[in-house]
Amino acid sequence: MNSPSIAFLLPAFVGQKAAQRKQFLDKLNAAVNRQSIVLLDSVETDEDRWKNLIIIKFAHSRLFGESFRLGLSAALNLGAEKIVTFESYSTENAVWFTDYLNGGNMIESGKRNFREMLVTEISNLLSFGNSYNNFSFNRIFTKEAALLLRDTKLNGKSFLVESINVLNAHGIHTTEIIREEYGKDNKRINLSEMAESIIKSFNKTSINYSLISSLSYLVNLFMVYTSLSLGFFYPLAVLFGGEISGLSNFIVNEKINFRNKGFLSSAYRFGKFNAFVLAVVAFDIFMISVISKYMLAFGRADFSIISTFSIVIVSAISLFFTNKLIWGKGNHQRVFL
């Protein structure tokens, strides 16, 4: 590590035992080969012990997000170009960053537990993200990313979820290194943290996408019933309705909601989108035809319930793959080691 513009940010450092703080700083001091800034919210009396570390203190806050933002602001004011944070203050984790400083925004994470996986995947779906583990805090932030995150408002573990979503929404690239040998994380997030993380994944783009998708569904229904009233064969009516609603959905999302530019890139996305729409339409026709064969056996009421259930399943599958394959921003790269 040769850059003097690297700052190490240690929020909630005051919560560690004095012996553990010294061991962590000893290891960090040995890992750097020139003076580097360390920002922490605890009192260290023997700062001369660490010749390579310039210890800067900032006010402690009981709210993690607030403490983190205070540290970010202090690092930026000191001219830091990159800011390193740590998942834990164990001596084993004190040097996690050494292989990655030449990159940009970086996350190092291990295997997810079930709750983290669930929240991460739902957050990815709602925010069009691509992260593996939203909750890892072994991170390297560039100045550009730090300036954005300094102005966020969340606290707690949901702050970490929002940080990825904010960077993704602004087109800032992040690389996530997933180290399989770390084993599963034993930490557990509670239900309120899970709910807050998921809710905060909604942004203007995802809200607009929901409205556009709802309108496209109404267009689809209108075109199908109109086609049937004109005497179209049922599969042809479904195909016609799907194509018209899909085309309108794509144009509005592509050029107004996501504001993607470039004819060739839009044409390529439309090709994938249209192929997927056709696959969904074909699956929808297949499901309805299969269910129709058993209509008399089920009865009209049961048939309506089953048909509705099939539509919900098809819509959910469509939403998931469309978000992943068509509209996912691709700013978050995952690398498995």
Side-chain angles (χ1 to χ4, degrees):
M1 192 198 79
N2 298 313
S3 174
S5 59
I6 301 294
F8 299 99
L9 177 56
L10 314 180
F13 200 58
V14 68
Q16 310 301 309
K17 294 181 179 179
Q20 184 176 355
R21 293 199 300 264
K22 287 182 180 179
Q23 291 171 1
F24 182 86
L25 292 176
D26 283 344
K27 193 70 176 287
L28 184 60
N29 182 71
V32 300
N33 54 22
R34 62 185 301 172
Q35 283 199 321
S36 306
I37 298 170
V38 175
L39 298 116
L40 47 80
D41 58 355
S42 64
V43 177
E44 298 295 336
T45 55
D46 53 349
E47 295 170 16
D48 292 338
R49 175 188 180 102
W50 303 292
K51 302 299 183 182
N52 290 333
L53 306 180
I54 303 171
I55 306 294
I56 306 293
K57 303 181 185 68
F58 61 91
H60 171 70
S61 172
R62 63 181 182 83
L63 298 175
F64 174 81
E66 180 62 24
S67 182
F68 176 80
R69 286 189 294 272
L70 287 171
L72 268 186
S73 182
L76 290 170
N77 289 338
L78 291 168
E81 295 295 328
K82 288 187 178 179
I83 301 169
V84 180
T85 59
F86 299 84
E87 175 73 11
S88 73
Y89 297 128
S90 65
T91 54
E92 293 81 5
N93 198 51
V95 295
W96 80 265
F97 58 89
T98 52
D99 294 332
Y100 309 123
L101 282 179
N102 290 329
N105 295 293
M106 192 75 60
I107 301 174
E108 184 187 61
S109 63
K111 291 182 179 179
R112 302 168 293 183
N113 60 50
F114 176 76
R115 289 190 176 188
E116 288 181 345
M117 178 274 294
L118 182 63
V119 172
T120 299
E121 291 304 328
I122 295 176
S123 298
N124 284 341
L125 185 65
L126 297 177
S127 64
F128 306 94
N130 184 40
S131 64
Y132 177 83
N133 185 354
N134 277 326
F135 297 96
S136 174
F137 208 53
N138 274 348
R139 302 191 182 191
I140 298 174
F141 299 97
T142 62
K143 183 178 181 180
E144 181 185 24
L147 286 169
L148 281 172
L149 298 180
R150 180 185 61 184
D151 299 324
T152 56
K153 302 300 181 184
L154 287 185
N155 290 290
K157 293 181 178 179
S158 57
F159 173 83
L160 302 181
V161 176
E162 190 201 32
S163 68
I164 293 180
N165 294 338
V166 167
L167 299 184
N168 189 52
H170 286 81
I172 297 178
H173 188 271
T174 304
T175 300
E176 182 177 9
I177 307 296
I178 297 105
R179 304 184 65 87
E180 296 285 357
E181 72 271 17
Y182 276 14
K184 284 194 174 181
D185 183 6
N186 293 321
K187 299 190 299 299
R188 290 290 184 271
I189 54 174
N190 59 45
L191 294 178
S192 63
E193 289 173 330
M194 291 176 68
E196 183 183 15
S197 298
I198 292 170
I199 291 171
K200 293 299 183 180
S201 296
F202 273 103
N203 51 39
K204 182 179 179 181
T205 300
S206 54
I207 293 173
N208 289 341
Y209 180 83
S210 300
L211 293 174
I212 294 167
S213 297
S214 298
L215 291 174
S216 297
Y217 180 71
L218 295 178
V219 170
N220 188 15
L221 288 179
F222 175 78
M223 295 307 300
V224 168
Y225 282 112
T226 300
S227 300
L228 290 173
S229 67
L230 294 174
F232 279 42
F233 184 51
Y234 179 75
L236 185 60
V238 172
L239 176 62
F240 183 67
E243 279 291 297
I244 295 299
S245 64
L247 179 61
S248 61
N249 181 298
F250 179 85
I251 292 174
V252 176
N253 269 313
E254 176 76 358
K255 297 304 180 184
I256 298 178
N257 190 27
F258 293 100
R259 299 180 182 179
N260 292 323
K261 298 179 179 180
F263 175 78
L264 292 179
S265 60
S266 292
Y268 174 69
R269 266 190 296 274
F270 178 70
K272 292 196 300 180
F273 181 82
N274 197 50
F276 184 71
V277 166
L278 292 175
V280 171
V281 169
F283 184 69
D284 191 23
I285 293 172
F286 171 76
M287 290 288 290
I288 294 298
S289 63
V290 169
I291 293 172
S292 298
K293 291 181 180 180
Y294 299 96
M295 179 178 176
L296 295 177
F298 284 117
R300 188 171 297 276
D302 290 338
F303 176 75
S304 298
I305 294 173
I306 294 171
S307 298
T308 303
F309 184 66
S310 71
I311 292 172
V312 171
I313 292 176
V314 171
S315 299
I317 295 173
S318 174
L319 176 64
F320 178 80
F321 283 102
T322 303
N323 284 20
K324 288 285 187 181
L325 302 179
I326 310 299
W327 304 121
K329 291 184 178 296
N331 295 323
H332 190 96
Q333 178 185 4
R334 296 183 290 183
V335 179
F336 289 84
L337 297 181

